[in-house]
mmCIF file of all heavy atoms in Angstrom:
data_model
loop_
_atom_site.group_PDB
_atom_site.id
_atom_site.type_symbol
_atom_site.label_atom_id
_atom_site.label_comp_id
_atom_site.label_asym_id
_atom_site.label_seq_id
_atom_site.Cartn_x
_atom_site.Cartn_y
_atom_site.Cartn_z
ATOM 1 N N LEU A 1 10.675 14.152 10.978
ATOM 2 C CA LEU A 1 9.427 13.720 11.617
ATOM 3 C C LEU A 1 8.237 14.011 10.719
ATOM 4 O O LEU A 1 7.355 13.153 10.540
ATOM 5 C CB LEU A 1 9.259 14.403 12.977
ATOM 6 C CG LEU A 1 7.996 14.043 13.757
ATOM 7 C CD1 LEU A 1 7.921 12.550 14.022
ATOM 8 C CD2 LEU A 1 7.956 14.824 15.058
ATOM 9 N N ALA A 2 8.216 15.193 10.124
ATOM 10 C CA ALA A 2 7.124 15.542 9.211
ATOM 11 C C ALA A 2 7.100 14.604 8.007
ATOM 12 O O ALA A 2 6.030 14.122 7.610
ATOM 13 C CB ALA A 2 7.262 16.998 8.753
ATOM 14 N N ALA A 3 8.274 14.323 7.442
ATOM 15 C CA ALA A 3 8.334 13.419 6.282
ATOM 16 C C ALA A 3 7.882 12.017 6.670
ATOM 17 O O ALA A 3 7.192 11.341 5.900
ATOM 18 C CB ALA A 3 9.761 13.385 5.718
ATOM 19 N N GLY A 4 8.254 11.566 7.869
ATOM 20 C CA GLY A 4 7.817 10.252 8.329
ATOM 21 C C GLY A 4 6.311 10.188 8.502
ATOM 22 O O GLY A 4 5.654 9.227 8.084
ATOM 23 N N ALA A 5 5.739 11.216 9.116
ATOM 24 C CA ALA A 5 4.294 11.251 9.329
ATOM 25 C C ALA A 5 3.539 11.329 8.004
ATOM 26 O O ALA A 5 2.525 10.636 7.810
ATOM 27 C CB ALA A 5 3.926 12.433 10.226
ATOM 28 N N ILE A 6 4.020 12.145 7.088
ATOM 29 C CA ILE A 6 3.380 12.235 5.768
ATOM 30 C C ILE A 6 3.468 10.898 5.043
ATOM 31 O O ILE A 6 2.497 10.444 4.423
ATOM 32 C CB ILE A 6 4.000 13.378 4.939
ATOM 33 C CG1 ILE A 6 3.593 14.724 5.536
ATOM 34 C CG2 ILE A 6 3.610 13.280 3.467
ATOM 35 C CD1 ILE A 6 4.386 15.909 5.019
ATOM 36 N N ASN A 7 4.617 10.244 5.133
ATOM 37 C CA ASN A 7 4.760 8.939 4.495
ATOM 38 C C ASN A 7 3.865 7.887 5.134
ATOM 39 O O ASN A 7 3.347 7.012 4.448
ATOM 40 C CB ASN A 7 6.223 8.487 4.484
ATOM 41 C CG ASN A 7 6.904 8.916 3.225
ATOM 42 O OD1 ASN A 7 6.734 8.300 2.186
ATOM 43 N ND2 ASN A 7 7.661 9.993 3.307
ATOM 44 N N ALA A 8 3.666 7.957 6.443
ATOM 45 C CA ALA A 8 2.739 7.031 7.094
ATOM 46 C C ALA A 8 1.327 7.243 6.557
ATOM 47 O O ALA A 8 0.615 6.274 6.250
ATOM 48 C CB ALA A 8 2.785 7.198 8.609
ATOM 49 N N ALA A 9 0.923 8.497 6.416
ATOM 50 C CA ALA A 9 -0.402 8.795 5.862
ATOM 51 C C ALA A 9 -0.516 8.295 4.418
ATOM 52 O O ALA A 9 -1.532 7.698 4.029
ATOM 53 C CB ALA A 9 -0.685 10.294 5.933
ATOM 54 N N LEU A 10 0.531 8.522 3.634
ATOM 55 C CA LEU A 10 0.518 8.046 2.242
ATOM 56 C C LEU A 10 0.451 6.520 2.177
ATOM 57 O O LEU A 10 -0.231 5.957 1.305
ATOM 58 C CB LEU A 10 1.755 8.545 1.491
ATOM 59 C CG LEU A 10 1.811 10.037 1.199
ATOM 60 C CD1 LEU A 10 3.181 10.420 0.641
ATOM 61 C CD2 LEU A 10 0.701 10.432 0.235
ATOM 62 N N ALA A 11 1.133 5.844 3.094
ATOM 63 C CA ALA A 11 1.118 4.382 3.119
ATOM 64 C C ALA A 11 -0.273 3.859 3.465
ATOM 65 O O ALA A 11 -0.745 2.876 2.868
ATOM 66 C CB ALA A 11 2.147 3.859 4.116
ATOM 67 N N VAL A 12 -0.940 4.511 4.416
ATOM 68 C CA VAL A 12 -2.309 4.118 4.759
ATOM 69 C C VAL A 12 -3.221 4.330 3.554
ATOM 70 O O VAL A 12 -4.046 3.469 3.214
ATOM 71 C CB VAL A 12 -2.814 4.888 5.996
ATOM 72 C CG1 VAL A 12 -4.299 4.665 6.212
ATOM 73 C CG2 VAL A 12 -2.023 4.472 7.230
ATOM 74 N N ALA A 13 -3.057 5.459 2.884
ATOM 75 C CA ALA A 13 -3.860 5.735 1.693
ATOM 76 C C ALA A 13 -3.581 4.702 0.601
ATOM 77 O O ALA A 13 -4.512 4.214 -0.054
ATOM 78 C CB ALA A 13 -3.578 7.150 1.179
ATOM 79 N N ALA A 14 -2.317 4.347 0.403
ATOM 80 C CA ALA A 14 -1.967 3.342 -0.602
ATOM 81 C C ALA A 14 -2.573 1.996 -0.243
ATOM 82 O O ALA A 14 -3.107 1.284 -1.113
ATOM 83 C CB ALA A 14 -0.451 3.222 -0.736
ATOM 84 N N GLY A 15 -2.513 1.622 1.029
ATOM 85 C CA GLY A 15 -3.105 0.359 1.455
ATOM 86 C C GLY A 15 -4.602 0.327 1.225
ATOM 87 O O GLY A 15 -5.146 -0.677 0.739
ATOM 88 N N ALA A 16 -5.271 1.417 1.545
ATOM 89 C CA ALA A 16 -6.715 1.493 1.320
ATOM 90 C C ALA A 16 -7.035 1.462 -0.168
ATOM 91 O O ALA A 16 -7.977 0.782 -0.601
ATOM 92 C CB ALA A 16 -7.275 2.761 1.964
ATOM 93 N N PHE A 17 -6.241 2.179 -0.958
ATOM 94 C CA PHE A 17 -6.439 2.184 -2.409
ATOM 95 C C PHE A 17 -6.266 0.778 -2.973
ATOM 96 O O PHE A 17 -7.055 0.323 -3.799
ATOM 97 C CB PHE A 17 -5.463 3.157 -3.061
ATOM 98 C CG PHE A 17 -5.554 3.226 -4.557
ATOM 99 C CD1 PHE A 17 -6.732 3.589 -5.185
ATOM 100 C CD2 PHE A 17 -4.450 2.928 -5.337
ATOM 101 C CE1 PHE A 17 -6.810 3.654 -6.576
ATOM 102 C CE2 PHE A 17 -4.511 2.992 -6.723
ATOM 103 C CZ PHE A 17 -5.698 3.353 -7.342
ATOM 104 N N GLY A 18 -5.243 0.077 -2.499
ATOM 105 C CA GLY A 18 -5.014 -1.288 -2.959
ATOM 106 C C GLY A 18 -6.159 -2.212 -2.582
ATOM 107 O O GLY A 18 -6.622 -3.017 -3.390
ATOM 108 N N ALA A 19 -6.618 -2.089 -1.332
ATOM 109 C CA ALA A 19 -7.669 -2.984 -0.838
ATOM 110 C C ALA A 19 -9.026 -2.705 -1.456
ATOM 111 O O ALA A 19 -9.806 -3.633 -1.685
ATOM 112 C CB ALA A 19 -7.762 -2.876 0.685
ATOM 113 N N HIS A 20 -9.308 -1.434 -1.738
ATOM 114 C CA HIS A 20 -10.651 -1.085 -2.205
ATOM 115 C C HIS A 20 -10.710 -0.645 -3.661
ATOM 116 O O HIS A 20 -11.655 -0.975 -4.362
ATOM 117 C CB HIS A 20 -11.249 0.004 -1.312
ATOM 118 C CG HIS A 20 -11.310 -0.395 0.123
ATOM 119 N ND1 HIS A 20 -12.174 -1.357 0.594
ATOM 120 C CD2 HIS A 20 -10.584 0.017 1.197
ATOM 121 C CE1 HIS A 20 -11.984 -1.520 1.895
ATOM 122 N NE2 HIS A 20 -11.019 -0.691 2.284
ATOM 123 N N GLY A 21 -9.703 0.085 -4.111
ATOM 124 C CA GLY A 21 -9.746 0.619 -5.466
ATOM 125 C C GLY A 21 -9.144 -0.281 -6.522
ATOM 126 O O GLY A 21 -9.472 -0.165 -7.704
ATOM 127 N N LEU A 22 -8.252 -1.175 -6.097
ATOM 128 C CA LEU A 22 -7.556 -2.003 -7.085
ATOM 129 C C LEU A 22 -7.985 -3.464 -7.066
ATOM 130 O O LEU A 22 -7.594 -4.224 -7.945
ATOM 131 C CB LEU A 22 -6.036 -1.926 -6.856
ATOM 132 C CG LEU A 22 -5.404 -0.548 -7.043
ATOM 133 C CD1 LEU A 22 -3.924 -0.607 -6.709
ATOM 134 C CD2 LEU A 22 -5.628 -0.044 -8.460
ATOM 135 N N ARG A 23 -8.749 -3.864 -6.079
ATOM 136 C CA ARG A 23 -9.120 -5.275 -5.915
ATOM 137 C C ARG A 23 -9.703 -5.872 -7.193
ATOM 138 O O ARG A 23 -9.375 -6.994 -7.562
ATOM 139 C CB ARG A 23 -10.102 -5.431 -4.765
ATOM 140 C CG ARG A 23 -10.505 -6.887 -4.549
ATOM 141 C CD ARG A 23 -11.432 -7.072 -3.392
ATOM 142 N NE ARG A 23 -10.729 -6.695 -2.173
ATOM 143 C CZ ARG A 23 -11.339 -6.209 -1.099
ATOM 144 N NH1 ARG A 23 -12.629 -6.040 -1.096
ATOM 145 N NH2 ARG A 23 -10.655 -5.895 -0.026
ATOM 146 N N ASP A 24 -10.554 -5.137 -7.870
ATOM 147 C CA ASP A 24 -11.193 -5.647 -9.083
ATOM 148 C C ASP A 24 -10.473 -5.231 -10.365
ATOM 149 O O ASP A 24 -10.910 -5.576 -11.456
ATOM 150 C CB ASP A 24 -12.654 -5.176 -9.146
ATOM 151 C CG ASP A 24 -13.470 -5.705 -7.985
ATOM 152 O OD1 ASP A 24 -13.161 -6.823 -7.508
ATOM 153 O OD2 ASP A 24 -14.406 -5.012 -7.539
ATOM 154 N N ARG A 25 -9.382 -4.500 -10.248
ATOM 155 C CA ARG A 25 -8.680 -3.994 -11.425
ATOM 156 C C ARG A 25 -7.346 -4.672 -11.686
ATOM 157 O O ARG A 25 -6.837 -4.617 -12.794
ATOM 158 C CB ARG A 25 -8.463 -2.491 -11.293
ATOM 159 C CG ARG A 25 -9.759 -1.729 -11.248
ATOM 160 C CD ARG A 25 -9.508 -0.275 -10.954
ATOM 161 N NE ARG A 25 -10.777 0.382 -10.743
ATOM 162 C CZ ARG A 25 -11.124 1.499 -11.317
ATOM 163 N NH1 ARG A 25 -10.298 2.114 -12.121
ATOM 164 N NH2 ARG A 25 -12.282 2.036 -11.069
ATOM 165 N N LEU A 26 -6.756 -5.249 -10.655
ATOM 166 C CA LEU A 26 -5.457 -5.899 -10.812
ATOM 167 C C LEU A 26 -5.593 -7.400 -10.617
ATOM 168 O O LEU A 26 -6.416 -7.859 -9.828
ATOM 169 C CB LEU A 26 -4.448 -5.369 -9.783
ATOM 170 C CG LEU A 26 -4.005 -3.920 -9.886
ATOM 171 C CD1 LEU A 26 -2.989 -3.622 -8.786
ATOM 172 C CD2 LEU A 26 -3.415 -3.614 -11.240
ATOM 173 N N GLU A 27 -4.755 -8.121 -11.328
ATOM 174 C CA GLU A 27 -4.677 -9.555 -11.093
ATOM 175 C C GLU A 27 -4.079 -9.770 -9.713
ATOM 176 O O GLU A 27 -3.316 -8.942 -9.213
ATOM 177 C CB GLU A 27 -3.811 -10.213 -12.164
ATOM 178 C CG GLU A 27 -4.368 -10.055 -13.572
ATOM 179 C CD GLU A 27 -3.362 -10.448 -14.638
ATOM 180 O OE1 GLU A 27 -2.259 -10.923 -14.288
ATOM 181 O OE2 GLU A 27 -3.682 -10.272 -15.819
ATOM 182 N N LYS A 28 -4.388 -10.899 -9.094
ATOM 183 C CA LYS A 28 -3.953 -11.192 -7.726
ATOM 184 C C LYS A 28 -2.446 -11.019 -7.525
ATOM 185 O O LYS A 28 -2.036 -10.386 -6.544
ATOM 186 C CB LYS A 28 -4.411 -12.608 -7.345
ATOM 187 C CG LYS A 28 -3.939 -13.072 -5.985
ATOM 188 C CD LYS A 28 -4.712 -12.440 -4.863
ATOM 189 C CE LYS A 28 -4.416 -13.158 -3.552
ATOM 190 N NZ LYS A 28 -3.728 -12.328 -2.592
ATOM 191 N N PRO A 29 -1.597 -11.532 -8.418
ATOM 192 C CA PRO A 29 -0.154 -11.339 -8.177
ATOM 193 C C PRO A 29 0.260 -9.860 -8.139
ATOM 194 O O PRO A 29 1.090 -9.469 -7.312
ATOM 195 C CB PRO A 29 0.512 -12.066 -9.348
ATOM 196 C CG PRO A 29 -0.491 -13.054 -9.812
ATOM 197 C CD PRO A 29 -1.825 -12.403 -9.567
ATOM 198 N N MET A 30 -0.318 -9.035 -9.000
ATOM 199 C CA MET A 30 0.031 -7.612 -9.008
ATOM 200 C C MET A 30 -0.577 -6.892 -7.808
ATOM 201 O O MET A 30 0.031 -5.962 -7.271
ATOM 202 C CB MET A 30 -0.413 -6.950 -10.320
ATOM 203 C CG MET A 30 0.434 -7.338 -11.521
ATOM 204 S SD MET A 30 2.171 -6.855 -11.349
ATOM 205 C CE MET A 30 2.962 -8.419 -11.067
ATOM 206 N N LEU A 31 -1.744 -7.330 -7.349
ATOM 207 C CA LEU A 31 -2.330 -6.759 -6.144
ATOM 208 C C LEU A 31 -1.440 -7.082 -4.939
ATOM 209 O O LEU A 31 -1.214 -6.230 -4.082
ATOM 210 C CB LEU A 31 -3.744 -7.295 -5.924
ATOM 211 C CG LEU A 31 -4.531 -6.685 -4.768
ATOM 212 C CD1 LEU A 31 -4.665 -5.181 -4.923
ATOM 213 C CD2 LEU A 31 -5.893 -7.347 -4.654
ATOM 214 N N ASP A 32 -0.902 -8.295 -4.898
ATOM 215 C CA ASP A 32 0.028 -8.673 -3.831
ATOM 216 C C ASP A 32 1.289 -7.814 -3.859
ATOM 217 O O ASP A 32 1.803 -7.419 -2.807
ATOM 218 C CB ASP A 32 0.407 -10.153 -3.943
ATOM 219 C CG ASP A 32 -0.739 -11.084 -3.603
ATOM 220 O OD1 ASP A 32 -1.743 -10.631 -3.010
ATOM 221 O OD2 ASP A 32 -0.635 -12.286 -3.949
ATOM 222 N N VAL A 33 1.781 -7.515 -5.051
ATOM 223 C CA VAL A 33 2.963 -6.654 -5.190
ATOM 224 C C VAL A 33 2.653 -5.263 -4.634
ATOM 225 O O VAL A 33 3.446 -4.692 -3.882
ATOM 226 C CB VAL A 33 3.407 -6.569 -6.679
ATOM 227 C CG1 VAL A 33 4.400 -5.439 -6.900
ATOM 228 C CG2 VAL A 33 3.984 -7.902 -7.126
ATOM 229 N N PHE A 34 1.496 -4.723 -4.988
ATOM 230 C CA PHE A 34 1.102 -3.401 -4.508
ATOM 231 C C PHE A 34 0.991 -3.398 -2.985
ATOM 232 O O PHE A 34 1.476 -2.483 -2.312
ATOM 233 C CB PHE A 34 -0.234 -2.977 -5.141
ATOM 234 C CG PHE A 34 -0.575 -1.535 -4.907
ATOM 235 C CD1 PHE A 34 -0.189 -0.570 -5.817
ATOM 236 C CD2 PHE A 34 -1.266 -1.140 -3.778
ATOM 237 C CE1 PHE A 34 -0.486 0.771 -5.600
ATOM 238 C CE2 PHE A 34 -1.566 0.193 -3.546
ATOM 239 C CZ PHE A 34 -1.181 1.150 -4.465
ATOM 240 N N GLU A 35 0.371 -4.438 -2.430
ATOM 241 C CA GLU A 35 0.197 -4.525 -0.983
ATOM 242 C C GLU A 35 1.544 -4.663 -0.264
ATOM 243 O O GLU A 35 1.719 -4.123 0.826
ATOM 244 C CB GLU A 35 -0.737 -5.676 -0.631
ATOM 245 C CG GLU A 35 -2.180 -5.383 -1.023
ATOM 246 C CD GLU A 35 -3.122 -6.561 -0.821
ATOM 247 O OE1 GLU A 35 -2.653 -7.700 -0.584
ATOM 248 O OE2 GLU A 35 -4.331 -6.334 -0.911
ATOM 249 N N THR A 36 2.480 -5.364 -0.867
ATOM 250 C CA THR A 36 3.818 -5.454 -0.285
ATOM 251 C C THR A 36 4.459 -4.068 -0.231
ATOM 252 O O THR A 36 5.066 -3.688 0.775
ATOM 253 C CB THR A 36 4.704 -6.430 -1.087
ATOM 254 O OG1 THR A 36 4.119 -7.734 -1.005
ATOM 255 C CG2 THR A 36 6.132 -6.462 -0.562
ATOM 256 N N GLY A 37 4.317 -3.310 -1.311
ATOM 257 C CA GLY A 37 4.844 -1.941 -1.327
ATOM 258 C C GLY A 37 4.237 -1.094 -0.223
ATOM 259 O O GLY A 37 4.952 -0.375 0.485
ATOM 260 N N ALA A 38 2.917 -1.194 -0.036
ATOM 261 C CA ALA A 38 2.241 -0.396 0.991
ATOM 262 C C ALA A 38 2.675 -0.823 2.393
ATOM 263 O O ALA A 38 2.879 0.019 3.272
ATOM 264 C CB ALA A 38 0.728 -0.521 0.839
ATOM 265 N N ARG A 39 2.823 -2.129 2.609
ATOM 266 C CA ARG A 39 3.239 -2.626 3.927
ATOM 267 C C ARG A 39 4.639 -2.125 4.292
ATOM 268 O O ARG A 39 4.866 -1.591 5.378
ATOM 269 C CB ARG A 39 3.184 -4.155 3.957
ATOM 270 C CG ARG A 39 3.556 -4.753 5.296
ATOM 271 C CD ARG A 39 3.357 -6.258 5.383
ATOM 272 N NE ARG A 39 3.977 -6.997 4.303
ATOM 273 C CZ ARG A 39 3.323 -7.551 3.278
ATOM 274 N NH1 ARG A 39 2.012 -7.442 3.189
ATOM 275 N NH2 ARG A 39 3.978 -8.215 2.349
ATOM 276 N N TYR A 40 5.573 -2.275 3.364
ATOM 277 C CA TYR A 40 6.940 -1.811 3.628
ATOM 278 C C TYR A 40 6.993 -0.290 3.742
ATOM 279 O O TYR A 40 7.781 0.253 4.507
ATOM 280 C CB TYR A 40 7.903 -2.325 2.560
ATOM 281 C CG TYR A 40 8.384 -3.722 2.857
ATOM 282 C CD1 TYR A 40 7.577 -4.829 2.616
ATOM 283 C CD2 TYR A 40 9.645 -3.947 3.401
ATOM 284 C CE1 TYR A 40 7.995 -6.118 2.903
ATOM 285 C CE2 TYR A 40 10.091 -5.221 3.684
ATOM 286 C CZ TYR A 40 9.255 -6.298 3.441
ATOM 287 O OH TYR A 40 9.678 -7.560 3.745
ATOM 288 N N HIS A 41 6.147 0.394 2.997
ATOM 289 C CA HIS A 41 6.055 1.847 3.066
ATOM 290 C C HIS A 41 5.684 2.259 4.488
ATOM 291 O O HIS A 41 6.337 3.125 5.096
ATOM 292 C CB HIS A 41 5.010 2.311 2.050
ATOM 293 C CG HIS A 41 4.950 3.780 1.821
ATOM 294 N ND1 HIS A 41 4.300 4.314 0.742
ATOM 295 C CD2 HIS A 41 5.407 4.852 2.510
ATOM 296 C CE1 HIS A 41 4.382 5.632 0.778
ATOM 297 N NE2 HIS A 41 5.044 5.980 1.851
ATOM 298 N N LEU A 42 4.639 1.640 5.045
ATOM 299 C CA LEU A 42 4.184 2.004 6.383
ATOM 300 C C LEU A 42 5.227 1.661 7.450
ATOM 301 O O LEU A 42 5.526 2.479 8.329
ATOM 302 C CB LEU A 42 2.852 1.328 6.713
ATOM 303 C CG LEU A 42 2.277 1.664 8.087
ATOM 304 C CD1 LEU A 42 2.048 3.162 8.248
ATOM 305 C CD2 LEU A 42 0.983 0.905 8.313
ATOM 306 N N ILE A 43 5.792 0.477 7.368
ATOM 307 C CA ILE A 43 6.791 0.070 8.361
ATOM 308 C C ILE A 43 7.951 1.056 8.393
ATOM 309 O O ILE A 43 8.400 1.481 9.462
ATOM 310 C CB ILE A 43 7.299 -1.357 8.059
ATOM 311 C CG1 ILE A 43 6.197 -2.380 8.322
ATOM 312 C CG2 ILE A 43 8.561 -1.669 8.857
ATOM 313 C CD1 ILE A 43 6.470 -3.753 7.731
ATOM 314 N N HIS A 44 8.417 1.443 7.221
ATOM 315 C CA HIS A 44 9.595 2.307 7.177
ATOM 316 C C HIS A 44 9.254 3.773 7.423
ATOM 317 O O HIS A 44 10.106 4.537 7.876
ATOM 318 C CB HIS A 44 10.383 2.052 5.895
ATOM 319 C CG HIS A 44 11.017 0.691 5.945
ATOM 320 N ND1 HIS A 44 10.345 -0.427 5.518
ATOM 321 C CD2 HIS A 44 12.191 0.264 6.443
ATOM 322 C CE1 HIS A 44 11.103 -1.492 5.735
ATOM 323 N NE2 HIS A 44 12.229 -1.091 6.303
ATOM 324 N N ALA A 45 8.013 4.168 7.177
ATOM 325 C CA ALA A 45 7.578 5.509 7.589
ATOM 326 C C ALA A 45 7.607 5.606 9.108
ATOM 327 O O ALA A 45 8.063 6.613 9.668
ATOM 328 C CB ALA A 45 6.176 5.801 7.054
ATOM 329 N N LEU A 46 7.156 4.564 9.780
ATOM 330 C CA LEU A 46 7.226 4.550 11.241
ATOM 331 C C LEU A 46 8.679 4.532 11.710
ATOM 332 O O LEU A 46 9.019 5.138 12.730
ATOM 333 C CB LEU A 46 6.448 3.364 11.798
ATOM 334 C CG LEU A 46 4.937 3.405 11.560
ATOM 335 C CD1 LEU A 46 4.281 2.116 12.034
ATOM 336 C CD2 LEU A 46 4.303 4.619 12.208
ATOM 337 N N GLY A 47 9.527 3.841 10.956
ATOM 338 C CA GLY A 47 10.962 3.874 11.252
ATOM 339 C C GLY A 47 11.518 5.285 11.150
ATOM 340 O O GLY A 47 12.362 5.696 11.965
#
């Protein structure tokens, strides 16, 4: 449960980092790859 909750927090942080910190630094295809990682991270943390 602790690992799941920590991973959910990390996934939210990754999503925010992707949306705000990487938007102007990554090309669109690589930003999409990062966002896919964050989305699956959050879904499976909740799992």
Side-chain angles (χ1 to χ4, degrees):
L1 180 59
I6 290 166
N7 268 281
L10 290 171
V12 170
F17 179 59
H20 303 290
L22 297 177
R23 181 178 296 151
D24 298 329
R25 297 173 188 229
L26 294 181
E27 298 168 4
K28 176 76 168 115
M30 287 298 107
L31 185 58
D32 290 345
V33 166
F34 191 91
E35 289 174 348
T36 297
R39 182 174 51 255
Y40 276 78
H41 190 165
L42 181 59
I43 291 165
H44 291 88
L46 295 174

